[in-house]
């Protein structure tokens, strides 16, 4: 019985790995920075998922109805969008400002952008806001969601194979220990570094987009200084899905000389974008209690 289990485990591993190899050959692509990527999903599939998630968020999250703030975020976003590669520059992007004190923004496949009110108070200038929105758009253009889901599928399949082989070779207690180790190893060794790669790549792409749009790239560095000043507990970079603010600042500073010519060209052409940041954003966000009293 033990021998047959071992043979079955080995046979399963060979069959699945052969199928995975074929899938890899058929699903490899290249990111805008020249990095090899694994993608199992079509752009249409991702757009449908992104649009569905976006609609759900708009139903569940409070939305800002302040015309000046909406115009400000729209101005920064559309100025960036004009500089994107096709078909993104001509896509009908939807932009929503969510009324929550969260320092965050996102972009989803299907041409969707979301900005939380809290970010508008940390991003002190239009260029700093452009750095964040450009970064989030970079995730979409580089197909990071596709790559992320594809890698998760691959890791999950690999763990299933490991489980089959482990159960064929070990007793139940030892097999459980091995699977636990495989899970931790996959998370720290593959999935988390993958996310840090995505974040760094999106930073690089966003820096290029904002420079071409006429937003001062130096403000991307200032943005992350603001983020670092926000403080708060953060895990060690090794176990984080995001690079530390210090790492991001160092990388962006090294990339500045590469994008400054595009920025200077933009200034000589259409000039700096005229997106007016509302003065009220210089005031702290009201607390939940204060909002209830308004």
């Amino acid at each position: 019985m033990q021998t047959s289990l071992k043979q079955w485990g080995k046979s399963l591993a060979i069959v699945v790995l052969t199928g995975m190899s074929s899938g890899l050959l058929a699903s490899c692509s290249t990111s805008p920075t020249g990095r090899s990527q694994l993608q199992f999903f079509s752009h249409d599939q991702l757009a449908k998922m992104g649009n569905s998630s976006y609609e759900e968020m708009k139903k569940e999250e409070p939305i800002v109805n302040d015309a000046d703030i909406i115009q400000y975020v729209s101005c920064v976003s559309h100025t960036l969008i004009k500089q994107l590669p096709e078909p993104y520059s001509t896509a009908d992007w939807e932009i929503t400002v969510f009324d929550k004190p969260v320092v965050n923004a996102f972009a989803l496949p299907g041409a969707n952008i979301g900005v939380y009110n809290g970010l508008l108070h940390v991003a002190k200038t239009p260029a700093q806001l452009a750095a964040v929105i450009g970064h989030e758009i970079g995730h979409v253009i580089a197909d990071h969601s596709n790559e992320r889901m594809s890698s998760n599928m691959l890791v999950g399949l690999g763990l299933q194979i490991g489980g089959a082989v482990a159960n064929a070779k070990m007793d139940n207690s030892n097999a459980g220990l091995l699977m636990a180790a495989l899970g931790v190893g996959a998370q720290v060794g593959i999935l988390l570094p993958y996310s840090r790669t995505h974040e760094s790549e999106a930073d690089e792409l966003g820096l290029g987009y904002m420079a071409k749009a006429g937003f001062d790239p130096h403000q991307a560095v200032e943005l992350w200084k603001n983020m670092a000043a926000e403080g708060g507990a953060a895990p060690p970079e090794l176990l984080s899905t995001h690079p530390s603010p210090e790492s991001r600042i160092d990388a962006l500073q090294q990339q500045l000389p590469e994008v400054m010519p595009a920025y200077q060209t933009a200034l000589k052409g259409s000039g700096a974008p005229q997106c007016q940041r509302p003065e009220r954003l210089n005031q702290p966000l009201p607390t939940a209690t204060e909002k209830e009293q308004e």
Side-chain angles (χ1 to χ4, degrees):
M1 182 68 172
Q2 183 71 13
T3 300
S4 63
L5 282 174
K6 288 182 180 180
Q7 290 174 343
W8 178 84
K10 290 180 179 178
S11 298
L12 175 64
I14 292 171
V15 170
V16 178
L17 286 171
T18 300
M20 287 168 57
S21 298
S22 300
L24 283 169
L25 291 174
S27 307
C28 286
S29 62
T30 303
S31 76
T33 63
R35 184 176 53 81
S36 295
Q37 294 177 294
L38 177 67
Q39 297 183 358
F40 291 150
F41 301 90
S42 70
H43 286 179
D44 286 344
Q45 287 175 310
L46 288 172
K48 288 179 182 178
M49 286 187 279
N51 289 335
S52 176
S53 297
Y54 196 67
E55 290 303 316
E56 285 300 314
M57 291 188 70
K58 290 193 297 180
K59 292 176 183 177
E60 297 175 0
E61 303 277 6
I63 294 176
V64 168
N65 57 14
D66 186 309
D68 290 340
I69 291 178
I70 294 171
Q71 172 59 30
Y72 170 56
V73 175
S74 179
C75 176
V76 172
S77 299
H78 283 293
T79 303
L80 285 166
I81 290 168
K82 291 177 183 177
Q83 303 302 320
L84 302 180
E86 290 285 358
Y88 303 98
S89 61
T90 55
D92 185 17
W93 289 80
E94 184 173 357
I95 302 159
T96 304
V97 184
F98 293 99
D99 194 10
K100 292 184 71 173
V102 179
V103 183
N104 203 1
F106 64 86
L108 295 175
N112 306 293
I113 294 172
V115 175
Y116 286 94
N117 204 8
L119 174 67
L120 302 179
H121 293 259
V122 176
K124 303 295 185 182
T125 67
Q128 290 181 18
L129 179 60
V132 180
I133 296 176
H135 167 97
E136 299 302 331
I137 291 173
H139 280 306
V140 173
I141 293 179
D143 276 334
H144 287 162
S145 57
N146 193 341
E147 192 177 3
R148 181 70 168 172
M149 291 190 297
S150 298
S151 67
N152 283 344
M153 285 181 60
L154 199 60
V155 169
L157 188 55
L159 292 179
Q160 289 180 26
I161 296 171
V165 175
N167 287 326
K169 292 185 176 182
M170 302 180 178
D171 59 40
N172 290 337
S173 60
N174 288 333
L177 290 173
L178 175 61
M179 287 307 295
L182 282 172
V184 172
Q187 184 71 5
V188 176
I190 300 174
L191 299 184
L192 294 186
Y194 225 47
S195 290
R196 292 197 294 271
T197 297
H198 289 172
E199 291 298 316
S200 297
E201 187 169 53
D203 279 347
E204 181 179 350
L205 292 172
L207 193 68
Y209 301 148
M210 67 181 295
K212 290 179 181 178
F215 292 107
D216 184 359
H218 291 88
Q219 288 296 304
V221 174
E222 296 304 313
L223 167 75
W224 283 105
K225 290 180 180 179
N226 294 350
M227 291 286 194
E230 286 292 295
E237 183 174 350
L238 177 63
L239 299 178
S240 172
T241 58
H242 291 58
S244 69
E246 293 78 11
S247 294
R248 297 184 107 142
I249 290 170
D250 289 344
L252 288 168
Q253 287 176 330
Q254 292 177 19
Q255 293 161 10
L256 284 175
E258 299 176 12
V259 301
M260 288 305 293
Y263 173 58
Q264 296 297 337
T265 298
L267 292 184
K268 292 177 181 177
S270 57
Q274 299 300 306
C275 300
Q276 296 299 318
R277 183 173 183 268
E279 284 292 329
R280 67 181 67 91
L281 292 178
N282 292 324
Q283 302 299 319
L285 277 171
T287 64
T289 303
E290 291 170 338
K291 288 182 72 67
E292 291 173 359
Q293 294 174 348
E294 289 179 353

